[in-house]
C-alpha cells in the first residue's frame, strides 16, 4: 500500500512557461519534501505541456497536470478539478507566478491545525527583477535576499520585512499586521474536508476575489484562520492582467456580498452542482 502524501500543493497556471519553470524549481529545493504538486491549468497550449513533461524528469516530487479547454478566465473551475484530483487530506494553494522560499511548505505544515486555515501573503517584484531571476538564484535562494534584490534595483520599503523578519519579530508582525487573515489564492492552506464541505470555489466567479469568497464561506462554516504572512514567504513575479474587467469585478463583488449578508457556507455552483 502506497504511503499517503502529507500535503498536496495546487498551483494555477495559464500559458506562462517562463514563470512556471521558476516556480517548479522553487519546489525542488524545499526543506519539506513529502508533497505532490497539482498543476491547475486553465487551458494552456503545447508549451506548458512540454515544460511539465521536461520538469517531471528533473524534479523529485510527483506532478499531476490537471488541464481544461481554454474558455476564458475559468480559474475557479480548474481549481475545483485540481481539488478533486489531489491525493492528500491537506491542501496548499498558490500560483504559477509565485516562487516559494525553501521553508514555504515546511511552514504550512508546522502551523496547520484542525479547525483552521492558514493565510499567507506574497512579496511582489517588478518585471525587470522577475525576469532577472535565474534557476541558480532560486537554488541558492539569492532571490529571497533583500541585499541581492536591492542590487537589482529593489526600493526600500517596510514590506521588505516579509523577507527579513525572523523569530520573535516574525511572530509579532504576523500578530500586528492590519491585513485580514483571509484565504489568499497565492498563499493559503487548509484541510481538504473543510474545502469540500463548503463545495470548493464558486464557478460563477472569474477574476477578482474568488479566493476571498471561499474563505468567507469557510468562516461561515465555523473554520477560523491563522495569519502567517511573515512566516510563509513567496515572491510574486510580475505579469500583465488582461483578464481583469470591470464586469467580472462587479459580478464577483455581488456574489461576495450575498455570501456575507446571507452567511452562506455552501455554494451550489462549486464542485458539486445544485443545492445539497
Amino acid at each position: 500500500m502506497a504511503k499517503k502524501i502529507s500535503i498536496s500543493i495546487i498551483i494555477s497556471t495559464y500559458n506562462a512557461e517562463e514563470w512556471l519553470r521558476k516556480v517548479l524549481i522553487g519546489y525542488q529545493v524545499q526543506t519539506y519534501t513529502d508533497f505532490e504538486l497539482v498543476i491547475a491549468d486553465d487551458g494552456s497550449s503545447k508549451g506548458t505541456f512540454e515544460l511539465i513533461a521536461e520538469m517531471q524528469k528533473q524534479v523529485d516530487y510527483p506532478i499531476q497536470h490537471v488541464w481544461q479547454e481554454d474558455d476564458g478566465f475559468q480559474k475557479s473551475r480548474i481549481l475545483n478539478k485540481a481539488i478533486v484530483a489531489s491525493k492528500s487530506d491537506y491542501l496548499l494553494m498558490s500560483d504559477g507566478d509565485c516562487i516559494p522560499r525553501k521553508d514555504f511548505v515546511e511552514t504550512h505544515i508546522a502551523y496547520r491545525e484542525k479547525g483552521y486555515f492558514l493565510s499567507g501573503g506574497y512579496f511582489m517584484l517588478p518585471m525587470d527583477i522577475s525576469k532577472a531571476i535565474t534557476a541558480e538564484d532560486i537554488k541558492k535562494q539569492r532571490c529571497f535576499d533583500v541585499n541581492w534584490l536591492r542590487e537589482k534595483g529593489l526600493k526600500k520599503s517596510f514590506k521588505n520585512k516579509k523577507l527579513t523578519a525572523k523569530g520573535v519579530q516574525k511572530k509579532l508582525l504576523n500578530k500586528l499586521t492590519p491585513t485580514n487573515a483571509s484565504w489568499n489564492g497565492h498563499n493559503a492552506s487548509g484541510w481538504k474536508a473543510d474545502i469540500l464541505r463548503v463545495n470548493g470555489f464558486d464557478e460563477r466567479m472569474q477574476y477578482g476575489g474568488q479566493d476571498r469568497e471561499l474563505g468567507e464561506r469557510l468562516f461561515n462554516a465555523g473554520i477560523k484562520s491563522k495569519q502567517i504572512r511573515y512566516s510563509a514567504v513567496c515572491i510574486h513575479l510580475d505579469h500583465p492582467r488582461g483578464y481583469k474587467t470591470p464586469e467580472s469585478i462587479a459580478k464577483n463583488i455581488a456574489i461576495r456580498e450575498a455570501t456575507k449578508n446571507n452567511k452562506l457556507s455552501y455554494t451550489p455552483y462549486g464542485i458539486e452542482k445544485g443545492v445539497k
Side-chain angles (χ1 to χ4, degrees):
M1 186 174 172
K3 179 177 175 286
K4 190 165 178 62
I5 295 166
S6 295
I7 182 169
S8 294
I9 301 162
I10 296 175
I11 301 293
S12 61
T13 195
Y14 174 72
N15 284 334
E17 293 87 12
E18 183 183 359
W19 283 180
L20 183 60
R21 180 187 295 276
K22 296 181 184 190
V23 170
L24 297 181
I25 293 167
Y27 284 102
Q28 175 62 10
V29 296
Q30 290 296 298
T31 54
Y32 188 94
T33 59
D34 184 20
F35 63 85
E36 68 161 348
L37 197 125
V38 185
I39 297 176
D41 185 346
D42 189 17
S44 295
S45 49
K46 186 180 175 185
T48 296
F49 281 77
E50 291 172 345
L51 170 66
I52 292 170
E54 175 194 338
M55 293 302 291
Q56 282 173 324
K57 297 171 186 172
Q58 295 181 17
V59 299
D60 297 323
Y61 54 85
I63 298 176
Q64 281 199 70
H65 184 193
V66 181
W67 179 88
Q68 66 186 11
E69 290 275 359
D70 190 347
D71 184 26
F73 188 89
Q74 299 294 345
K75 184 177 178 182
S76 296
R77 188 191 301 165
I78 194 61
L79 285 173
N80 280 343
K81 291 176 181 177
I83 289 165
V84 172
S86 64
K87 295 175 181 172
S88 174
D89 59 4
Y90 195 77
L91 308 181
L92 165 55
M93 293 189 196
S94 189
D95 286 329
D97 52 19
C98 292
I99 304 174
R101 195 168 67 184
K102 66 180 181 180
D103 60 345
F104 185 70
V105 181
E106 181 182 356
T107 300
H108 277 272
I109 288 287
Y111 281 90
R112 70 179 179 176
E113 183 180 347
K114 291 287 188 183
Y116 289 83
F117 70 81
L118 304 179
S119 173
Y122 62 75
F123 187 84
M124 177 64 84
L125 293 179
M127 182 63 80
D128 57 340
I129 301 178
S130 298
K131 284 198 161 290
I133 293 171
T134 66
E136 198 63 18
D137 295 329
I138 299 165
K139 290 172 184 174
K140 300 291 187 188
Q141 297 286 283
R142 289 190 286 260
C143 55
F144 298 96
D145 182 331
V146 166
N147 293 327
W148 184 86
L149 291 168
R150 292 285 302 280
E151 288 172 10
K152 299 289 181 187
L154 184 72
K155 293 179 170 57
K156 281 188 176 181
S157 168
F158 180 81
K159 291 179 180 178
N160 294 357
K161 288 191 181 294
K162 285 183 189 172
L163 299 179
T164 60
K166 292 181 172 63
V168 174
Q169 184 190 43
K170 184 166 61 177
K171 290 179 181 176
L172 192 63
L173 287 169
N174 282 334
K175 190 173 182 180
L176 296 178
T177 180
T179 306
N180 290 333
S182 53
W183 186 279
N184 302 321
H186 47 265
N187 186 351
S189 66
W191 298 95
K192 184 174 181 177
D194 293 336
I195 295 166
L196 292 176
R197 180 177 158 200
V198 301
N199 205 23
F201 290 89
D202 189 313
E203 295 183 10
R204 294 174 297 170
M205 300 184 78
Q206 293 173 297
Y207 182 83
Q210 74 270 45
D211 47 354
R212 302 292 179 87
E213 196 273 341
L214 169 67
E216 286 151 5
R217 280 186 283 112
L218 287 168
F219 285 136
N220 291 340
I223 307 301
K224 298 174 184 176
S225 64
K226 286 190 199 178
Q227 179 67 267
I228 57 168
R229 189 177 181 80
Y230 289 87
S231 302
V233 173
C234 62
I235 51 175
H236 194 306
L237 305 173
D238 197 14
H239 58 84
R241 290 165 177 79
Y243 41 76
K244 182 177 181 180
T245 67
E247 293 79 16
S248 74
I249 298 294
K251 182 175 76 170
N252 288 6
I253 287 172
I255 293 169
R256 286 183 67 188
E257 285 298 315
T259 296
K260 287 179 189 173
N261 295 339
N262 299 313
K263 295 184 168 50
L264 302 177
S265 62
Y266 187 90
T267 174
Y269 305 97
I271 295 168
E272 301 289 338
K273 305 301 185 285
V275 179
K276 65 175 180 177

